[in-house]
Amino acid sequence: MRAHAFAMGLNSFGEVATDNGRTLDDAETVRLLVEEARLAEAAGLDIFSIGEHYRPGHVDSAAPVLLSAVATATERIRVGTSVTVLSTNDPVRLHHEFSTLDAVSNGRAQLVLGRASATESFPLFGYDLTDYERLFEEKLELFMRLQREEKVTWTGTTRAPLVDQELRPRMRPGGVPTWIGVGGSPNSVVRAARYGLPLMLAVVGGRPQRFGGHVDLYHRALQQAGHDPQPIGQHSLGLVADSDEEATETWWRYWEPVARQLAEERGFYEPDRRRYEAELEHGALFVGSPETVARKIATVVRDLGLSRFDLKYDIMHLPRRARARTIELLGREVAPRVREILSKEATHV
């Protein structure tokens, strides 16, 4: 059961846009993200998040800096990360960045921590992929202690020890909202529950309802650890347009080459139109008119007991007009319709 007020957000991986057929350069795309955050706030959305990637066509490699710009350009919308690769970040530096962001934004900062599905940051910052699990486990333990304790003494294998360390500026009491991103690992679900942290399900393919077992495991693990119920969110890809046909054709045009590249890099299935249409119908692509997308979101919110849904709205070379229209429709039409559907369902329980 959802125990928290429903929130609708946007995720960006900083993917470069096009404008009238011209590909924006990196600096233009950075400025576009700030503009889109303002648009998201005006449309009534609750959260604007930015990822962390280190590959051509992405400009989200310094998310805390970009989010600070977003914070100064907005007043209400919460600002955070759709993923922070904790394994290749230093927890002390991360604390400084997000305590500062939280101060700049007047308490609107949050983040999602992940182990990384894209691993370019490991060689870039001198980490060994064989330490994948150990890096995340140690750094999460340290980061949460830095958030929750005034002074920290800590010893591990991934960085220098700390002795009675105080950090400034301080986090708000208890730290900023920190979610654990999960792509399918039950161990990650249990880890989130052990720390009493909210769970963000990264559902990028297949039926979202297949994560129902993870949700059940999370609830059981929270209870066993003695923690109160925590929010559960979902991150998925999609586009909203004025009609189903427009949305379907627009997303296919820009999603297909990205999916084909990922298939070559990671061994995923080759994209084809039949599989694409199946994902639209029953899978994790939220593409369509406002009514179509709202009904699909409401279904997964009900089935998984979600309190938050974040739509990743950018994909390589998607025109800025299509991005802006998605933001506007998601905030002004989809989010209110989702809440209306959920409210009607609740009155009939």
Side-chain angles (χ1 to χ4, degrees):
M1 297 293 292
R2 278 185 311 115
H4 303 266
F6 179 72
M8 182 80 78
L10 285 173
N11 280 343
S12 168
F13 284 1
E15 296 183 61
V16 296
T18 54
D19 189 9
N20 293 319
R22 181 181 70 85
T23 300
L24 302 186
D25 63 30
D26 289 353
E28 289 174 308
T29 303
V30 166
R31 293 191 293 273
L32 176 62
L33 287 174
V34 178
E35 178 184 323
E36 289 174 339
R38 285 197 295 261
L39 181 60
E41 180 170 82
L45 290 165
D46 302 297
I47 307 161
F48 188 85
S49 302
I50 295 169
E52 181 186 346
H53 296 83
Y54 302 89
R55 54 191 299 153
H58 297 255
V59 299
D60 59 343
S61 57
V65 179
L66 191 44
L67 290 169
S68 289
V70 168
T72 60
T74 57
E75 297 179 354
R76 176 196 59 80
I77 197 166
R78 284 170 270 168
V79 293
T81 60
S82 49
V83 63
T84 292
V85 184
L86 180 60
S87 306
T88 55
N89 272 277
D90 180 74
V92 174
R93 170 52 64 194
L94 202 62
H95 179 287
H96 287 141
E97 291 171 339
F98 278 85
S99 62
T100 302
L101 174 62
D102 203 44
V104 169
S105 65
N106 194 22
R108 291 183 282 140
Q110 58 182 269
L111 71 164
V112 176
L113 300 176
R115 297 181 301 168
S117 58
T119 58
E120 291 87 356
S121 64
F122 282 79
L124 181 62
F125 296 114
Y127 289 97
D128 191 333
L129 266 173
T130 60
D131 295 328
Y132 188 80
E133 285 288 343
R134 180 169 60 92
L135 284 165
F136 189 81
E137 188 67 61
E138 282 197 10
K139 292 186 175 189
L140 178 61
E141 192 266 340
L142 176 55
F143 184 64
M144 295 314 301
R145 287 190 59 191
L146 289 170
Q147 290 208 78
R148 293 169 173 175
E149 301 174 20
E150 187 70 25
K151 292 183 179 181
V152 173
T153 295
W154 179 90
T155 300
T157 64
T158 56
R159 58 151 291 130
L162 303 176
V163 179
D164 286 338
Q165 185 67 55
E166 296 183 67
L167 302 183
R168 293 291 184 271
R170 285 298 305 163
M171 291 280 191
R172 69 177 91 161
V176 302
T178 301
W179 300 61
I180 298 294
V182 175
S185 167
N187 289 337
S188 296
V189 173
V190 173
R191 182 186 290 118
R194 189 169 75 243
Y195 284 94
L197 297 175
L199 187 71
M200 178 61 70
L201 303 171
V203 188
V204 296
R207 294 182 72 251
Q209 288 80 358
R210 77 186 194 279
F211 281 81
H214 287 61
V215 171
D216 292 341
L217 173 63
Y218 179 61
H219 289 313
R220 293 197 306 271
L222 278 172
Q223 188 174 35
Q224 290 170 1
H227 294 300
D228 292 333
Q230 296 296 317
I232 301 173
Q234 178 177 325
H235 152 100
S236 291
L237 285 66
L239 177 143
V240 190
D242 292 290
S243 69
D244 288 337
E245 181 181 10
E246 179 188 357
T248 298
E249 296 306 319
T250 300
W251 190 256
W252 170 254
R253 177 179 176 184
Y254 296 96
W255 174 83
E256 190 272 341
V258 171
R260 189 166 299 281
Q261 180 180 352
L262 288 175
E264 295 173 359
E265 291 178 359
R266 304 188 193 180
F268 296 166
Y269 67 79
E270 290 283 334
D272 60 49
R273 187 68 185 214
R274 180 185 62 82
R275 284 182 179 270
Y276 171 65
E277 292 177 357
E279 284 288 335
L280 298 185
E281 186 68 23
H282 304 293
L285 290 180
F286 290 75
V287 174
S289 66
E291 181 67 17
T292 295
V293 173
R295 288 191 174 277
K296 191 170 183 179
I297 292 174
T299 296
V300 298
V301 168
R302 179 196 64 222
D303 291 349
L304 296 178
L306 304 178
S307 298
R308 173 178 170 183
F309 185 92
D310 286 2
L311 185 74
K312 183 188 175 297
Y313 69 99
D314 62 349
I315 199 161
M316 199 71 67
H317 300 145
L318 184 68
R320 64 186 299 170
R321 285 197 300 266
R323 292 164 56 133
R325 190 60 175 154
T326 289
I327 295 169
E328 183 177 13
L329 292 174
L330 189 71
R332 299 189 184 281
E333 297 190 28
V334 175
R337 180 65 174 133
V338 170
R339 291 187 172 96
E340 179 185 29
I341 294 170
L342 295 175
S343 177
K344 287 181 179 179
E345 290 180 350
T347 61
H348 289 88
V349 173

